[in-house]
Amino acid sequence: SAQALVNGLALDTSEQRVTFLFDHLDLPQILNYLALRSITQDADDVRKNFYMFHDTHTDGLWRMFPWDKDWTFGVTGDGGTHLLHPFFGDRAHSKQNANQWNRLYDVMFGEEVTKRMYLRRLKTLADTMLQHPDTPAEERLFEKWVEELSASAADDLPRAANSGKRAVLQYFPARRGDMFDRYASDGSTPLLPDSQPTMPNMEITVIEFDAATEGNPGQFVSIANREETEIDISGWTLSEAVRFTFPPGTVIPRQSEIFVARSIAGFRSRATSPKGSERRFAVGPFNGQLSASDTQLVIADASGTVIRSTVIGAGPSPLAGSLAISEIHYHPADPNTDAEFIEMVNVSVNAVSLQGLRFSEGVEFRFADSAIMSLQPGERLVVIADRTAFESVYGTGLPVAGIFANGSRLANGGEDITIVDADSRVVLTLTYGDADPWPAAADGGGPSLVLINSNGTNASDPASWKASALAGGTPGSAEQSSNFTGDPNADQDRDGINALLEFALGTSDLSANGIDLRIEISAGQVLLHYGRSSTASGPSITYEMSTNLQAWNPADAVSEKAEPAGDNRVAVTVDLGPATETPAFFRIRVTN
């Protein structure tokens, strides 16, 4: 509804507002509208004179359509002193009569990422449509259109055609002065970026076939902009495996990516990242369907020049499943913030050659520059952010393959990490995070992220990870099992829970606390809920049942689910089978 749009623009934090924009607005269409509005200097659409359309049938996005555009091309109306400014219509550049400003403009121009996207699109239109003041008269597009339109109206409206032509032709030199002088990057009020490179550094990073879902609505191709500036890809195309033309206003933020989806709604509703509510820039739908029989995917600019192509038909890399990222230190504690590292392990039974491998997401690193070119079964290596910082914490002699390239770093807020082979086929990929249910201690508290089980694990599942037992982790070696030592029957805090039980459940025998153990009947099943340690690997936990509290027998768990609960603990739900009318009692037994 319109109220939902208003509410989304008024969310409390910048992160919430930007996430709303990416999820609920057709950003290319809105950006293009706003940029064209500035080129034509629309003086009358701050609070009205446009339509908002909400597509509730397909992608659920809002779009903005023009209406009543007679106060343009130099007809200033009551635009006021801010009319010339590219941010005309936001709160800071409002129309003075009745203090008119637009909340959508305020958010689009006020949030850094969308502001930069907008300025890039405005610069593109200034370069290609308004054109530089030095453009020869016979090549000026706007002037040619005005001449053609006035000529077509001359027989029916001779006076209007001539006077209108003179007025509009006087407008373009002034507006060129604004775009190429006053607001240019070297102007008196610098706002616009320099023209973008003709062959920007772009990369196809992920090709998601989503074959497990009927109809494959979650299929997507992600394209990364590796430049330190926004890149306008309006009119560019994807071809071969799928077909898509990027609509006017498609601008990829700097050092970011765009997702070209088979279905916008399907992409937003994906169960796993990337998906909606993650500030992902998605466009679509593309024509066709990704399949294992496809041979390649090609990105070309609006002139048809190929920017990037990649082979996709060979499926995943032959090395898929052979390597795992086993430890990530993405946010080391102060003062060693540059001691970041990624640890890899060979989980196969054969030696693995690293020739041609590279990180395509997360950090920049190519194994062509590595000091280690192969891994034996069970062998590990680390890639680090800074050698001096790393060695000041961990010393020398560890299996360091190399250093992140171009000063790249792991994101403290979580991100995707992908390794591909020489043919851009995915070797491994995962997404880590810093917010619950990911281990909070790894987010600047000292510990690293450690993969609990390197074999057959969903490495993007928070439950697959724990915070390292040691501050800084154990780069280059497996974390040692955490076993109980001492008197298992001790009860130093006198809370009635012995030391072994506290150790297994992730609590402390130095602080009195209870046991979060409860039974629930749900859908006819008996569910046991409790919390336990995610790092204590020595103790064994089993489940027992009794009908009289005297004789106890093993209770076979139908299923067990563990979810991270913070502070190196997991919340466990055990399905103990169907409930019966006979009274039953359940307990957990911990043995060392």
Side-chain angles (χ1 to χ4, degrees):
S1 67
Q3 188 61 54
L5 174 62
V6 173
N7 293 344
L9 297 173
L11 288 167
D12 292 336
T13 69
S14 174
E15 181 68 23
Q16 290 173 327
R17 291 190 294 272
V18 172
T19 299
F20 178 85
L21 294 178
F22 277 81
D23 273 355
H24 298 282
L25 267 60
D26 182 343
L27 276 179
Q29 196 275 334
I30 298 288
L31 289 167
N32 197 56
Y33 174 93
L34 294 176
L36 283 167
R37 167 184 175 271
S38 184
I39 291 291
T40 63
Q41 206 172 75
D42 192 326
D44 200 28
D45 77 338
V46 172
R47 62 183 175 87
K48 58 183 180 64
N49 287 11
F50 56 83
Y51 287 106
M52 296 300 296
F53 170 70
H54 187 206
D55 183 352
T56 58
H57 296 289
T58 55
D59 55 26
L61 300 179
W62 284 92
R63 293 173 174 86
M64 195 171 192
F65 295 125
W67 174 71
D68 193 2
K69 299 302 172 187
D70 53 346
W71 282 7
T72 54
F73 294 109
V75 183
T76 59
D78 61 354
T81 58
H82 294 309
L83 176 60
L84 301 180
H85 200 282
F87 299 156
F88 171 66
D90 68 5
R91 190 192 296 260
H93 306 89
S94 60
K95 290 177 71 171
Q96 284 87 348
N97 67 317
N99 188 31
Q100 296 177 25
W101 59 279
N102 187 307
R103 179 171 288 169
L104 173 61
Y105 301 170
D106 207 41
V107 176
M108 291 291 294
F109 301 153
E111 298 299 339
E112 191 67 18
V113 62
T114 49
K115 178 182 75 175
R116 288 175 171 175
M117 294 167 73
Y118 161 71
L119 290 173
R120 169 57 67 200
R121 183 56 182 162
L122 181 55
K123 175 61 174 173
T124 298
L125 293 180
D127 286 345
T128 60
M129 295 187 66
L130 188 60
Q131 299 172 292
H132 193 275
D134 293 340
T135 303
E138 65 275 12
E139 297 177 12
R140 294 179 179 178
L141 298 177
F142 272 123
E143 281 84 349
K144 289 173 63 177
W145 293 335
V146 169
E147 292 287 353
E148 292 170 3
L149 289 170
S150 61
S152 67
D155 292 341
D156 299 319
L157 301 167
R159 289 188 59 188
N162 288 328
S163 62
K165 179 176 77 172
R166 287 194 299 271
V168 173
L169 288 177
Q170 291 173 1
Y171 166 77
F172 296 118
R175 198 57 177 154
R176 289 188 178 104
D178 295 333
M179 295 293 108
F180 293 96
D181 185 9
R182 179 183 302 183
Y183 300 118
S185 60
D186 59 352
S188 59
T189 307
L191 277 177
L192 298 180
D194 292 327
S195 298
Q196 69 184 38
T198 55
M199 288 291 290
N201 185 5
M202 313 291 283
E203 188 173 1
I204 299 172
T205 51
V206 177
I207 299 171
E208 174 57 69
F209 291 91
D210 193 34
T213 305
E214 183 177 354
N216 303 335
Q219 283 193 344
F220 69 84
V221 175
S222 64
I223 302 169
N225 167 19
R226 302 303 191 192
E227 300 285 352
E228 290 295 341
T229 186
E230 287 62 39
I231 298 297
D232 188 344
I233 60 171
S234 302
W236 289 29
T237 59
L238 273 180
S239 61
E240 300 295 329
V242 298
R243 300 169 304 284
F244 182 74
T245 300
F246 293 91
T250 306
V251 177
I252 311 180
R254 62 187 63 185
Q255 291 294 329
S256 186
E257 56 191 346
I258 189 170
F259 297 85
V260 188
R262 189 173 187 219
S263 161
I264 293 289
F267 178 84
R268 298 288 182 209
S269 61
R270 282 170 50 85
T272 59
S273 183
K275 54 185 176 60
S277 303
E278 293 182 346
R279 218 171 114 160
R280 307 286 190 172
F281 185 19
V283 295
F286 59 63
N287 292 318
Q289 179 174 330
L290 293 165
S291 71
S293 62
D294 294 325
T295 56
Q296 65 177 339
L297 194 62
V298 177
I299 307 173
D301 67 16
S303 70
T305 301
V306 174
I307 303 296
R308 180 75 69 169
S309 65
T310 187
V311 175
I312 67 173
S317 170
L319 294 180
S322 297
L323 298 171
I325 289 178
S326 47
E327 190 171 357
I328 305 170
H329 203 17
Y330 67 91
H331 190 181
D334 291 334
N336 302 305
T337 55
D338 278 335
E340 294 183 3
F341 67 82
I342 298 174
E343 178 190 83
M344 291 171 53
V345 60
N346 178 358
V347 296
S348 73
V349 296
N350 300 307
V352 172
S353 171
L354 305 178
Q355 188 69 42
L357 270 58
R358 61 183 172 85
F359 284 82
S360 64
E361 290 183 292
V363 297
E364 292 185 49
F365 184 75
R366 293 178 179 271
F367 282 89
D369 304 321
S370 174
I372 301 172
M373 294 307 298
S374 66
L375 286 178
Q376 297 299 315
E379 195 173 12
R380 299 168 187 263
L381 63 77
V382 288
V383 184
I384 64 177
D386 181 275
R387 188 174 295 278
T388 300
F390 182 84
E391 291 182 351
S392 70
V393 177
Y394 305 103
T396 60
L398 295 178
V400 175
I403 300 171
F404 303 163
N406 299 320
S408 59
R409 291 293 186 269
L410 290 161
N412 289 352
E415 63 182 329
D416 303 329
I417 299 178
T418 301
I419 297 177
V420 298
D421 64 17
D423 294 321
S424 295
R425 294 172 295 182
V426 173
V427 175
L428 65 87
T429 185
L430 62 88
T431 303
Y432 72 89
D434 72 326
D436 185 66
W438 288 89
D443 189 15
S448 63
L449 276 180
V450 176
L451 193 64
I452 296 172
N453 181 358
S454 299
N455 292 290
T457 297
N458 176 5
S460 293
D461 184 352
S464 299
W465 296 85
K466 66 180 182 179
S468 62
L470 298 176
T474 56
S477 61
E479 185 172 75
Q480 298 300 309
S481 298
S482 179
N483 295 308
F484 177 81
T485 58
D487 181 3
N489 296 313
D491 186 11
Q492 297 184 57
D493 55 16
R494 298 187 178 184
D495 60 0
I497 308 171
N498 67 42
L500 176 60
L501 193 58
E502 297 240 30
F503 178 80
L505 300 185
T507 55
S508 172
D509 197 33
L510 301 178
S511 176
N513 46 68
I515 297 179
D516 53 343
L517 178 69
R518 63 185 178 87
I519 288 287
E520 175 193 12
I521 306 297
S522 177
Q525 297 293 109
V526 179
L527 303 181
L528 171 67
H529 301 280
Y530 73 100
R532 73 181 181 215
S533 169
S534 63
T535 59
S537 56
S540 173
I541 296 178
T542 56
Y543 312 109
E544 296 182 339
M545 181 187 72
S546 174
T547 58
N548 56 15
L549 294 177
Q550 299 296 319
W552 291 89
N553 299 303
D556 295 328
V558 176
S559 65
E560 181 177 317
K561 179 182 180 182
E563 297 181 342
D567 299 324
N568 286 339
R569 302 184 78 232
V570 293
V572 183
T573 298
V574 185
D575 186 340
L576 294 169
T580 64
E581 295 183 0
T582 303
F585 304 90
F586 297 90
R587 71 181 184 185
I588 62 174
R589 174 181 289 276
V590 177
T591 55
N592 196 30

